[in-house]
Amino acid sequence: MRKVVLLGASGSIGKQTIEIINEHLDEIVIEAVSVGNNIEYLSELLKTYPIKRAYSITKDEKLAAEFKDIEFFAGEDGLCEMLEGLKYDLLINALVGFVGLRPTLKAIEDGVDVALANKETLVASGDIVMKKAKENDVKIIPIDSEHSAIFQALQGSKREDVKSLIVTGSGGAFRDLPLEALKNVSKKDALKHPVWDMGAKITIDSATMMNKGYEVIEAHHLFDMPYEKIDVIIHYESIVHSAVEYADGSIIAQLSNPDMRLPIEYALFYPRHLKRNSYSHLDLAKLQKLSFKEVNYDRYKLIKAAILAGKMGGNMGAVLNGANDTAVALFLKDKIHFLDIEKVVIKALSAAKYIKEPTLDEIFASNIWAQNYVKNYFNAL
Ligand code: MG
């Protein structure tokens, strides 16, 4: 039996991970889980699986009284405390936000492989995380569909033969809107993603394509590839999840219906491609066509900003992340316009103090600084 810890169990990726685990209960056992505030869901999980440790942001005394054999953790350091001394084989990190960073590092330090869906881990601290993973001989297995596709397309190849990584993106809710029209788009418009059904934050990040910018930074770290060798291309149908171009001109892509359960399952069982029960196979004949388009970087300024932040490295990923988080939150509260997001993120990047080799504390501080920068910027207007 493989013992796993699932962080972020009540989120979209977390719940789909549970679905996959349910199909493989003869192979996988959940040792510990974390949720945010969804105590009801945590209670359901504790009733269903032989879980030993559980985390929620605030401790629920009623739950603790009901499940006396389970160790409960809460609070800021609770996630790492929950991992301390635990024997397990894989950390599935499906947390959203900076809170995902320290548990990833904790698992790496303990020599445990990480299946990673948490973006902040690599966007903000990719240098530290990948260096530690190498030192501890730990595998970081991507869950995100694009990185899973690249990871699959790289299997069995030599890194020096790779010409470029091709990251595909849907282009988000406004991909067909004229540039001038972007000024007046509403929150409701932005939340209509053409293909994927995701949370509000990531759907906005998809509309601005900041999400793609993050994914370029993640790809750089995960696959140790210079930014010059990572391309982004718009792909309408979200069937080609990304690709690798080799020196001989071969492009190897991974295709499937857009369903996150596939990359989750691959991350859990890599390098195996297991028989699929619960989701549909892709029918190429039915699909008939795949379409692609070049990215217009004037329209998607945040991809460029992200690549620039990535190239600078240091604390700039943390600044990028903090500024964007706050800007998107303000947009979702109808406080700022859609195009204000890119404007303020770019301003934050140029205003930030650059730290070339930041400590983890400096990374956290840079993130907070950027959040405050964005808040103050709009308060001052
Ligand atoms: Mg993605």
Side-chain angles (χ1 to χ4, degrees), residues 119 143-147 167-168 196 198 202 211-212 215 218 241 260:
K119 293 202 171 266
I143 285 183
D144 204 2
S145 60
E146 291 79 3
H147 304 106
V167 180
T168 57
W196 297 95
M198 308 175 290
I202 189 160
N211 184 44
K212 225 31 70 177
E215 287 173 358
E218 292 175 272
H241 297 299
M260 282 308 295

Side-chain angles (χ1 to χ4, degrees), residues 175-219:
R175 63 190 183 188
D176 297 319
L177 221 60
L179 195 54
E180 319 79 69
L182 284 180
K183 274 188 287 214
N184 303 313
V185 297
S186 70
K187 176 174 94 181
K188 219 175 113 214
D189 301 327
L191 288 175
K192 282 187 212 130
H193 191 277
V195 185
W196 297 95
D197 182 15
M198 308 175 290
K201 164 69 167 55
I202 189 160
T203 304
I204 303 301
D205 284 344
S206 165
T208 63
M209 282 193 94
M210 174 54 114
N211 184 44
K212 225 31 70 177
Y214 287 159
E215 287 173 358
V216 169
I217 298 177
E218 292 175 272

Side-chain angles (χ1 to χ4, degrees), residues 1 20-29 49:
M1 290 295 268
I20 295 298
I21 290 173
N22 282 339
E23 291 187 18
H24 303 284
L25 291 173
D26 51 336
E27 287 180 71
I28 291 183
V29 59
Y49 306 95

